[in-house]
């Protein structure tokens, strides 16, 4: 008894490549050339990578416009050229904005670098005073309290505060000496005296 013939082996069906497959092939064939194109025109590798990524994004969105006659690479160069121009305009806008912000910040935020050394001298002089003198000066200058308010804090008469404060300022001036003049600063004793003290 003969065995029945085996069923025919189905021939493999060659599926038409999908758009995704075609795009992947386009990317793999042109990536290195595109990256070289961008690297020679950008200021950094990161910028070049961004240009290539944006170029391929345009190619994906307009995939039906990619020529099939062997000039796809040239078409991609044209896209990359426009992407690069947009990138440069964006960098210029960002740089102009950064410069404008820098100028505005200079006008609004004072540069404290010059005051660092002067502050160190002043703090050292304060540290050399007695605790009573130091507290009086700090309450009137840093806390902006007038002598009557300091009198309440210290629980002493206001006239005592005024006398002690006058003497404390004298001792501080003596400790500072010519420190501020040596550093190009003009010493202004009024800076140690808040305006409301005269009230």
């Amino acid at each position: 008894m003969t065995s029945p013939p085996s069923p025919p082996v189905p021939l493999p069906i060659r599926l038409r490549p999908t758009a995704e497959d075609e795009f992947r092939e386009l990317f793999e064939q042109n990536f290195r050339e595109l990256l070289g194109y961008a690297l020679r025109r950008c200021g950094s590798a990161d910028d070049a990578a961004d240009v290539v990524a944006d170029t391929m994004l345009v190619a994906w969105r307009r995939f039906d416009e990619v020529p099939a006659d062997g000039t796809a690479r040239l078409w991609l160069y044209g896209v990359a050229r426009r992407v690069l121009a947009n990138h440069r305009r964006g960098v210029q806008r960002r740089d102009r904005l950064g410069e404008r912000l820098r100028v505005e910040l200079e006008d609004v935020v004072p540069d404290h670098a010059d005051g660092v050394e002067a502050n160190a001298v002043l703090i050292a002089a304060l540290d050399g005073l007695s605790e009573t003198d130091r507290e009086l000066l700090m309450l009137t200058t840093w806390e902006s309290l007038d002598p009557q308010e300091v009198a309440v804090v210290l629980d002493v008469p206001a006239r005592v505060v005024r006398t002690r404060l006058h003497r404390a300022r004298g001792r501080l001036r003596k400790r500072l000496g010519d420190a501020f003049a040596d550093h190009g600063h003009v010493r202004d004793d009024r800076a140690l005296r808040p305006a409301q003290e005269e009230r």
Side-chain angles (χ1 to χ4, degrees):
M1 183 174 177
T2 60
S3 59
S6 56
V9 177
L11 296 174
I13 300 173
R14 187 172 181 82
L15 298 175
R16 182 181 180 280
T18 64
E20 187 175 338
D21 293 332
E22 291 176 354
F23 177 79
R24 185 178 293 110
E25 184 178 354
L26 177 73
F27 179 85
E28 290 172 354
Q29 289 177 350
N30 295 282
F31 171 75
R32 293 178 68 86
E33 289 81 0
L34 273 177
L35 184 58
Y37 174 92
L39 282 170
R40 288 184 286 275
R41 291 161 175 78
C42 289
S44 72
D46 288 342
D47 288 346
D50 288 344
V51 168
V52 172
D54 289 345
T55 299
M56 295 312 296
L57 181 60
V58 171
W60 172 251
R61 289 175 176 166
R62 297 168 51 190
F63 193 60
D64 56 336
E65 299 178 28
V66 178
D69 60 358
T71 60
R73 180 166 55 92
L74 303 179
W75 185 86
L76 288 171
Y77 281 168
V79 174
R81 181 172 168 272
R82 291 186 290 275
V83 168
L84 187 58
N86 289 337
H87 173 77
R88 286 173 175 159
R89 284 192 291 270
V91 169
Q92 290 170 352
R93 283 194 299 269
R94 185 181 64 211
D95 290 347
R96 285 195 298 268
L97 176 61
E99 178 63 19
R100 190 164 73 242
L101 287 173
R102 186 186 65 77
V103 171
E104 289 178 3
L105 283 174
E106 284 179 355
D107 291 340
V108 174
V109 181
D111 184 2
H112 297 289
D114 292 340
V116 171
E117 190 174 355
N119 286 342
V121 171
L122 179 58
I123 289 171
L126 283 171
D127 286 344
L129 298 175
S130 69
E131 186 176 344
T132 301
D133 285 351
R134 189 165 55 247
E135 183 65 11
L136 275 170
L137 292 168
M138 291 171 69
L139 285 171
T140 55
T141 57
W142 291 347
E143 312 306 332
S144 299
L145 300 182
D146 64 32
Q148 291 178 332
E149 293 169 326
V150 173
V152 174
V153 173
L154 300 181
D155 194 24
V156 295
R159 67 178 184 281
V160 173
V161 169
R162 289 189 182 89
T163 301
R164 290 179 181 174
L165 186 57
H166 177 74
R167 292 174 181 166
R169 285 183 178 137
R171 284 188 279 267
L172 178 62
R173 280 193 293 269
K174 186 175 180 180
R175 292 195 66 82
L176 287 172
D178 294 328
F180 284 88
D182 291 342
H183 292 83
H185 297 278
V186 177
R187 190 178 70 205
D188 185 357
D189 295 331
R190 289 173 300 174
L192 298 174
R193 182 168 59 252
Q196 62 261 46
E197 180 189 330
E198 307 302 330
R199 291 182 296 187

